[in-house]
Amino acid sequence: MTMGNLKLGVDVVSAHNLLPKDGHGSSSAVVELYFDNQRYRTTVKEKDLNPVWNESFYFNISDPSNLHNLTLDAYIYNDAKAAQSRSFLGKVSINGTSFVPYLDSVVLHYPLEKRGVFSRVRGELGLKVYITDDPSIKSSTPLPAAEDARAHAQAVPKSVAKAEARHTFHHLPNSNHPQPQQQQYITPVVAVPHHVTKYGVDEMKAEPQPPKLVRMFSASSAQPIDYALKETSPFLGGGQVVGGRVIRSDKAASTYDLVEKMQFLFVRVVKARDLPAMDVTGSLDPYVEARIGNYKGVTKHIEKQQNPVWNVVFAFSKERMQASVLEVVVKDKDLVKDDFVGVVRFDLNEVPVRVPPDSPLAPQWYRLEEKKGEKIKGELMLAVWIGTQADEAFNDAWHSDAATPIDSSAAASTLIRSKVYQAPRLWYVRVNVVEAQDLVPTEKNRFPDVYVKVQIGNQVLKTKTVQSRTFNPLWNEDLLFVAAEPFEDHLVLTVEDRVGPGKDEIIGRVIIPLSLVEKRADDRIIHSRWFNLEKPVAVDVDQLKKDKFSSRLHLRVCLDGGYHVLDESTHYSSDLRPTAKQLWKPPIGVLELGILNAVGLHPMKTRDGKGTSDTYCVAKYGHKWVRTRTIVDNLSPKYNEQYTWEVFDPATVLTAGVFDNSQLGANDNKDLKIGKVRIRLSTLETGRVYTHSYPLLVLHPTGVKKMGELHLAIRFSCTSFVNMLHIYSRPLLPKMHYVRPFTIMQLDMLRHQAVTIVAARLGRAEPPLRKEVVEYMSDVDSHLWSMRKSKTNFFRLMSVFSGLFAVGKWFGDICMWKNPITTVLVHVLFVMLVCFPELILPTIFLYMFLIGIWNFRYRPRYPPHMNIKFSQAEAVHPDELDEEFDTFPTSGSPELVRMRYDRLRSVAGRIQTVVGDIATQGERLQSLLSWRDPRATAISVTFCLVAAIALYVTPFQVVAALAGLYIMRHPRFRHRLPSVPVNFFRRLPTRADIML
């Protein structure tokens, strides 16, 4: 696309559910467009709350390099001809970062926004915005005068007006642009007339699809529309999803009913026999090449074997097939040029279709042919069939859409196929070092300064150093570690003597296999044991032949299975069960996830001079991690893979992320993160299918970026509603977390060790799930300091207390009698509650009940998603982002660190002042009776005596009524100066006087 002749095209399609403004229950809508100092206007649609324009406008882009800083504004007005005026109906603002080429554009229905605080709007405006460089397109004519526009509207023939009135939500074809052959199904709700005949899924796909409308949702009105959630209505295996309900097709639903049905040509190459010798020596190094069109899959070659066995499955996507004949060729591997051995051909029209639960297709022997079709010696055992992703051979197959059309190597097939991983079961290892006995230091003339170093794998902890006057030091310290099944590391305890600064000598060592350590699921006492120390003859921990001597170490060691090992952020935990399986409760439901596709991904690498990505998706919930196959060289990959998890607690989070595979070829770089999605199960309705397109938002050192969108289908099914309700009454974590809790420092240390162990174990799988992927999915850096997160948490706190602030402001208005009628009613209600105090709590709970019932109408219909406004990520300062992405410890220059330190000191100084003010008020309260100020305390004690006598003889209702009426008294009886009790309280002394 050339940069010199760019234009911005805007198709004003329609509006929906506008606000009536003409006094007769309707509006005459007109849209005005503003972009880059240019202004255009549509025709006026008389008395129509759902007008349809289908008008196109083209703006000149003066500076294409500044396009991301420009904004398209669309204003809707009610044009009143009789009154020669117009009233505001709403506006839409679209940032330049969301402009796309014409072929990628779709009609989006944007919710109308307010112009001011007191304006009232409703409805949606349907626009199609795109960038084009077509030289045949001319810019639109300037905005006509108001009289000319009305004259043009009146000159429209009635037949044309009736035809426009019959239009529904569809886009007027544009002769300047070719229409796309296939519309993406991620745009949601379809406007279909009621008289349309129902068809099955396949029949509906075959027909031209009507345009689809996009409903965009946002957790906050301030969230930019391009970063908001989109509800979709895709055609899945079970039927079309509309509003969370599945409209079943006439055909039976498959097991994979949350993904789009995709067809593949499966080729199973089992083995060959009696292959002819090709070399002079009579040997043969055969391999098989399955080719269809430009795609081919190749098995590994087997040296010097005329009866080789491969047992490999190839899967070719049917939608990418460019030929009608499948060729399975046997070749002889050679140094110069591979020799042709024989071929087997299949006509795709004769290949059988297999639908599970049909039994697998049995392989058959096929005689090899020459290139001319004559039979030769040698046979090949094959099975060829057409199936879907529900086929059991799908996961282990080599996929054609996971390789480039010219890539004939399947050597890296293990790096691109889908995989299900099982995270290891983690245990907390508790080591209680009690004491040592009869230690023998190297220097006989001194008492040892000893400590115990305990090590499991890469985890090392030390006890405090004991400077005892005997050879029997006492520690009685608890040390905690994390271990994973199967236990591969030993527990190694070393007693060391600190003979000088930086110089330690080993006195003895104990090696305990973790498989022999006692396990417990509660807080019962573990019996202690004495272990003989072994002389440090060799440094190797596996050296078992050591001379024993009389020194001993007293220990209590156990594997604590009553805890849940926290290996992810506590805010986004996907599993809360204890380690010990006997403590597990039965599952309460099933979570099903359909990973459909991703669209609009940013290129993460360059190949053949163009930007591209090799992406795969990872999802984790509980101990089960899943990874889709890698789709190579595709910025809009279609995965269509479905996975299932058992659910034990609804207060858990499903995490799905998209990554770029950097392991293909000879590279061994880190896999790059594209974005992730978190979905809390407790926010999902049971039985409903949620189909949404989630924006992939990633925070970079340059700011927040939208890296694309991930299309998911989710369903949470409840197997036991009573058990799920019972879960809400149980503690969030297992019992041991409350009986013997850990400190915050211990939890942070153990969580870091747990993530490291999980990443190491998953990195040893095939294909490996790399460390950077596990750490990103587990939010390993969520505890590090960030000014942006601190601001977010502050505003979260202010939002929590905003209700109290609003009540305080309302009560202040009551006390100031700003609305006399409301104030009088509050006085009456207050006196009634004082006279009948038994009505206070019922009134409060009834009020909360009514609020909950009222809010049911406005309950969220979609899962919450990341909000850049809420996260303070839209306008964050570049230096704050640089600080957030800084390493720990810092790698910044001394001047930069000094500046950040001074900034942190200023923030901490304000916090210090607030904390001091709160402490001052508390100390003044204590000073009432402390006699620090003898006169003030005497006054306070005398007042307490008089108040006790007065309250004893006066009914409580009278005191409460008088106090309330005094507080809510009319402003005429108030003074601008503070009251006497406030003046007295502020004069009390505090402990600030004794601070340095």
Side-chain angles (χ1 to χ4, degrees):
M1 183 175 289
T2 60
M3 298 295 291
N5 194 28
L6 284 182
K7 293 181 178 61
L8 180 70
V10 181
D11 295 344
V12 183
V13 182
S14 59
H16 175 63
N17 195 26
L18 297 179
L19 195 68
K21 284 291 185 84
D22 61 356
H24 302 285
S26 186
S27 290
S28 300
V30 61
V31 179
E32 290 189 2
L33 304 173
Y34 299 85
F35 177 77
D36 201 6
N37 298 323
Q38 303 167 68
R39 177 183 175 193
Y40 300 122
R41 177 175 175 173
T42 66
T43 56
V44 180
K45 297 299 178 181
E46 300 287 345
K47 297 187 178 301
D48 191 355
L49 295 180
N50 299 286
V52 177
W53 287 280
N54 285 322
E55 300 179 15
S56 299
F57 301 91
Y58 297 95
F59 295 86
N60 285 322
I61 301 177
S62 58
D63 185 7
S65 62
N66 194 39
L67 182 61
H68 62 281
N69 293 325
L70 300 178
T71 302
L72 170 67
D73 295 315
Y75 290 82
I76 302 185
Y77 297 98
N78 171 46
D79 196 324
K81 293 188 298 183
Q84 295 292 323
S85 64
R86 63 182 187 178
S87 53
F88 179 75
L89 294 178
K91 72 171 184 177
V92 171
S93 296
I94 305 175
N95 191 270
T97 57
S98 61
F99 298 157
V100 297
Y102 178 79
L103 293 178
D104 296 332
S105 62
V106 293
V107 179
L108 303 182
H109 272 244
Y110 299 90
L112 296 178
E113 303 172 1
K114 297 180 180 180
R115 181 167 54 182
V117 179
F118 301 103
S119 60
R120 180 168 173 259
V121 300
R122 78 177 188 193
E124 300 169 336
L125 176 62
L127 300 175
K128 184 176 183 179
V129 184
Y130 49 89
I131 300 173
T132 179
D133 60 351
D134 193 335
S136 62
I137 296 178
K138 304 300 180 182
S139 299
S140 304
T141 55
L143 176 67
E147 293 78 6
D148 297 338
R150 294 193 186 96
H152 174 72
Q154 293 174 357
V156 176
K158 293 184 178 180
S159 60
V160 177
K162 289 182 179 180
E164 288 182 349
R166 288 195 301 267
H167 281 304
T168 55
F169 300 94
H170 53 273
H171 175 63
L172 185 66
N174 192 337
S175 59
N176 297 318
H177 289 284
Q179 295 298 310
Q181 296 296 323
Q182 181 181 5
Q183 297 200 6
Q184 296 178 352
Y185 64 80
I186 65 167
T187 52
V189 184
V190 185
V192 183
H194 294 292
H195 61 273
V196 175
T197 307
K198 294 183 179 179
Y199 297 97
V201 175
D202 296 334
E203 289 80 5
M204 294 184 73
K205 284 185 179 180
E207 295 294 329
Q209 292 294 314
K212 302 174 177 64
L213 309 182
V214 175
R215 305 287 181 186
M216 292 196 175
F217 301 107
S218 174
S220 170
S221 59
Q223 171 85 331
I225 200 68
D226 193 40
Y227 297 138
L229 201 63
K230 301 176 186 176
E231 185 178 10
T232 64
S233 292
F235 288 96
L236 304 180
Q240 186 187 10
V241 180
V242 178
R245 296 181 298 107
V246 179
I247 301 178
R248 299 289 178 182
S249 61
D250 295 337
K251 298 182 179 180
S254 64
T255 306
Y256 287 68
D257 59 344
L258 291 186
V259 292
E260 182 184 0
K261 184 178 179 181
M262 298 179 66
Q263 286 192 330
F264 293 87
L265 173 66
F266 291 95
V267 180
R268 181 184 295 277
V269 181
V270 183
K271 56 185 176 179
R273 66 184 179 187
D274 300 332
L275 294 179
M278 304 299 295
D279 296 340
V280 179
T281 60
S283 64
L284 180 70
D285 304 331
Y287 69 90
V288 175
E289 178 182 289
R291 177 188 292 273
I292 179 167
N294 289 334
Y295 290 94
K296 65 180 180 180
V298 182
T299 68
K300 64 180 181 180
H301 74 277
I302 301 178
E303 295 184 358
K304 299 180 180 180
Q305 179 62 260
Q306 292 182 289
N307 298 290
V309 177
W310 293 284
N311 200 19
V312 177
V313 180
F314 300 99
F316 298 91
S317 178
K318 197 173 181 183
E319 66 179 11
R320 294 192 178 190
M321 291 184 185
Q322 303 172 354
S324 59
V325 177
L326 167 68
E327 293 184 346
V328 183
V329 185
V330 180
K331 292 186 176 181
D332 176 30
K333 188 71 175 179
D334 206 342
L335 294 177
V336 181
K337 182 181 179 182
D338 296 345
D339 298 326
F340 175 86
V341 178
V343 64
V344 178
R345 295 182 177 89
F346 295 89
D347 189 345
L348 295 187
N349 295 324
E350 300 177 359
V351 174
V353 177
R354 176 181 177 264
V355 180
D358 292 351
S359 299
L361 195 66
Q364 300 181 31
W365 286 105
Y366 293 89
R367 177 67 68 87
L368 296 179
E369 299 177 356
E370 293 182 344
K371 294 182 179 180
K372 297 181 180 180
E374 297 180 1
K375 301 290 184 181
I376 61 173
K377 179 185 177 183
E379 291 180 308
L380 189 61
M381 179 177 280
L382 300 171
V384 181
W385 73 96
I386 293 177
T388 65
Q389 64 266 48
D391 202 295
E392 59 268 13
F394 177 81
N395 290 332
D396 295 329
W398 177 90
H399 290 269
S400 62
D401 58 357
T404 56
I406 58 174
D407 182 16
S408 61
S409 174
S413 62
T414 56
L415 296 175
I416 57 180
R417 64 178 52 169
S418 57
K419 184 77 174 181
V420 177
Y421 305 87
Q422 193 70 20
R425 192 153 64 115
L426 302 177
W427 292 79
Y428 284 141
V429 182
R430 186 184 296 271
V431 181
N432 178 235
V433 183
V434 183
E435 60 179 333
Q437 189 178 77
D438 300 332
L439 295 182
V440 181
T442 55
E443 298 180 9
K444 307 296 183 179
N445 58 353
R446 56 177 286 273
F447 291 104
D449 296 340
V450 294
Y451 64 91
V452 179
K453 182 174 73 174
V454 187
Q455 180 174 359
I456 300 179
N458 295 325
Q459 306 172 66
V460 180
L461 292 177
K462 299 178 182 179
T463 66
K464 64 180 181 292
T465 302
V466 175
Q467 298 177 349
S468 64
R469 309 308 299 172
T470 66
F471 295 102
N472 304 313
L474 177 67
W475 293 280
N476 198 20
E477 285 189 41
D478 264 0
L479 303 177
L480 291 166
F481 302 86
V482 179
E485 290 184 347
F487 301 119
E488 299 175 348
D489 298 317
H490 296 311
L491 175 63
V492 181
L493 299 98
T494 307
V495 180
E496 300 188 9
D497 179 16
R498 180 152 296 169
V499 297
K503 183 180 180 181
D504 301 329
E505 291 185 356
I506 299 177
I507 297 178
R509 178 184 291 125
V510 175
I511 301 177
I512 305 174
L514 287 178
S515 57
L516 303 179
V517 174
E518 184 178 358
K519 299 177 181 178
R520 71 174 182 179
D522 50 18
D523 60 340
R524 63 184 175 86
I525 298 177
I526 297 295
H527 297 292
S528 60
R529 289 182 56 190
W530 287 95
F531 292 88
N532 292 322
L533 290 178
E534 300 169 349
K535 290 183 179 180
V537 177
V539 180
D540 187 5
V541 297
D542 293 327
Q543 180 71 27
L544 299 178
K545 296 181 179 180
K546 300 183 176 77
D547 298 329
K548 294 185 172 56
F549 57 105
S550 59
S551 299
R552 298 190 302 171
L553 190 61
H554 193 191
L555 302 173
R556 289 188 182 92
V557 184
C558 71
L559 294 169
D560 266 331
Y563 293 93
H564 167 68
V565 180
L566 296 168
D567 59 340
E568 51 197 345
S569 175
T570 53
H571 300 294
Y572 314 121
S573 293
S574 62
D575 187 17
L576 301 171
R577 293 173 295 170
T579 301
K581 288 187 176 181
Q582 60 266 32
L583 299 180
W584 291 3
K585 303 295 182 183
I588 62 169
V590 175
L591 174 65
E592 299 169 273
L593 172 66
I595 305 174
L596 302 178
N597 61 359
V599 294
L601 297 181
H602 277 218
M604 305 300 291
K605 64 184 70 169
T606 57
R607 182 180 293 133
D608 298 332
K610 68 173 184 177
T612 186
S613 291
D614 307 325
T615 60
Y616 62 91
C617 184
V618 175
K620 70 173 291 287
Y621 183 79
H623 292 172
K624 182 178 176 181
W625 295 60
V626 299
R627 168 179 173 161
T628 67
R629 66 192 188 280
T630 299
I631 307 298
V632 177
D633 199 17
N634 197 333
L635 297 179
S636 297
K638 291 185 178 181
Y639 304 105
N640 285 307
E641 298 185 23
Q642 183 171 338
Y643 300 95
T644 304
W645 289 268
E646 287 185 330
V647 178
F648 295 86
D649 196 315
T652 47
V653 176
L654 167 72
T655 306
V658 181
F659 301 88
D660 178 74
N661 194 333
S662 301
Q663 313 309 310
L664 304 181
N667 298 327
D668 191 22
N669 302 322
K670 290 185 176 181
D671 288 355
L672 302 177
K673 61 184 179 183
I674 298 179
K676 65 182 173 184
V677 175
R678 288 191 291 257
I679 301 170
R680 186 169 293 274
L681 268 61
S682 58
T683 63
L684 305 179
E685 299 178 13
T686 56
R688 178 179 177 181
V689 178
Y690 290 85
T691 53
H692 291 86
S693 187
Y694 296 84
L696 297 172
L697 306 177
V698 176
L699 192 65
H700 290 276
T702 57
V704 66
K705 290 184 180 180
K706 179 182 177 182
M707 307 297 291
E709 295 182 1
L710 179 63
H711 194 196
L712 301 176
I714 304 167
R715 178 170 56 208
F716 173 39
S717 304
C718 177
T719 55
S720 176
F721 186 72
V722 176
N723 289 342
M724 185 172 67
L725 294 182
H726 177 63
I727 287 290
Y728 281 86
S729 66
R730 301 183 58 222
L732 188 65
L733 293 171
K735 176 182 176 181
M736 285 293 291
H737 285 271
Y738 307 98
V739 175
R740 299 190 65 178
F742 297 137
T743 64
I744 300 297
M745 295 294 294
Q746 286 177 325
L747 286 176
D748 288 342
M749 183 268 295
L750 292 172
R751 175 175 173 263
H752 174 73
Q753 298 295 346
V755 174
T756 303
I757 292 175
V758 171
R761 289 292 180 91
L762 295 181
R764 288 158 49 182
E766 192 62 39
L769 203 58
R770 295 180 62 87
K771 179 181 179 181
E772 59 270 15
V773 175
V774 176
E775 291 182 347
Y776 180 63
M777 296 287 288
S778 302
D779 290 287
V780 72
D781 296 329
S782 61
H783 64 288
L784 296 180
W785 159 259
S786 166
M787 181 68 78
R788 176 187 60 83
K789 292 181 181 179
S790 300
K791 291 179 181 178
T792 302
N793 290 332
F794 173 77
F795 286 115
R796 287 174 61 192
L797 191 64
M798 296 299 294
S799 176
V800 168
F801 290 106
S802 61
L804 294 178
F805 297 152
V807 171
K809 183 178 182 301
W810 171 81
F811 186 72
D813 294 341
I814 294 297
C815 295
M816 298 305 296
W817 289 69
K818 290 192 174 181
N819 190 334
I821 297 177
T822 304
T823 303
V824 171
L825 292 176
V826 170
H827 278 71
V828 172
L829 177 63
F830 174 73
V831 173
M832 184 178 66
L833 292 178
V834 169
C835 295
F836 304 97
E838 63 274 8
L839 295 179
I840 295 177
L841 289 180
T843 302
I844 293 175
F845 284 105
L846 179 61
Y847 180 67
M848 294 173 62
F849 168 77
L850 294 176
I851 291 177
I853 294 299
W854 178 262
N855 290 339
F856 180 77
R857 299 174 54 195
Y858 310 103
R859 66 190 185 278
R861 305 286 183 153
Y862 51 93
H865 188 54
M866 301 175 189
N867 190 308
I868 65 170
K869 285 275 190 179
F870 179 81
S871 304
Q872 304 294 315
E874 188 180 40
V876 62
H877 193 274
D879 182 66
E880 294 179 4
L881 280 177
D882 185 62
E883 181 183 20
E884 185 170 345
F885 283 91
D886 194 7
T887 57
F888 187 85
T890 180
S891 58
S893 63
E895 294 79 10
L896 183 63
V897 175
R898 183 186 298 274
M899 184 271 292
R900 290 174 179 171
Y901 174 66
D902 291 340
R903 181 178 62 193
L904 191 60
R905 287 175 64 192
S906 65
V907 174
R910 290 193 291 268
I911 297 176
Q912 170 185 288
T913 303
V914 173
V915 173
D917 292 341
I918 296 174
T920 296
Q921 306 307 319
E923 290 170 353
R924 284 173 177 166
L925 196 62
Q926 293 175 342
S927 297
L928 286 173
L929 304 175
S930 67
W931 296 94
R932 173 64 60 183
D933 184 344
R935 287 166 295 278
T937 303
I939 294 173
S940 176
V941 170
T942 304
F943 173 79
C944 291
L945 177 62
V946 174
I949 297 173
L951 293 176
Y952 179 75
V953 300
T954 307
F956 174 76
Q957 286 88 345
V958 175
V959 176
L962 291 177
L965 294 176
Y966 174 77
I967 293 174
M968 295 185 292
R969 66 192 183 278
H970 196 276
R972 182 178 299 177
F973 305 104
R974 296 178 182 272
H975 301 282
R976 292 187 177 182
L977 297 178
S979 62
V980 173
V982 173
N983 294 332
F984 177 79
F985 186 76
R986 288 178 177 174
R987 292 177 179 272
L988 295 173
T990 67
R991 302 183 68 179
D993 305 332
I994 61 176
M995 286 183 61
L996 289 176

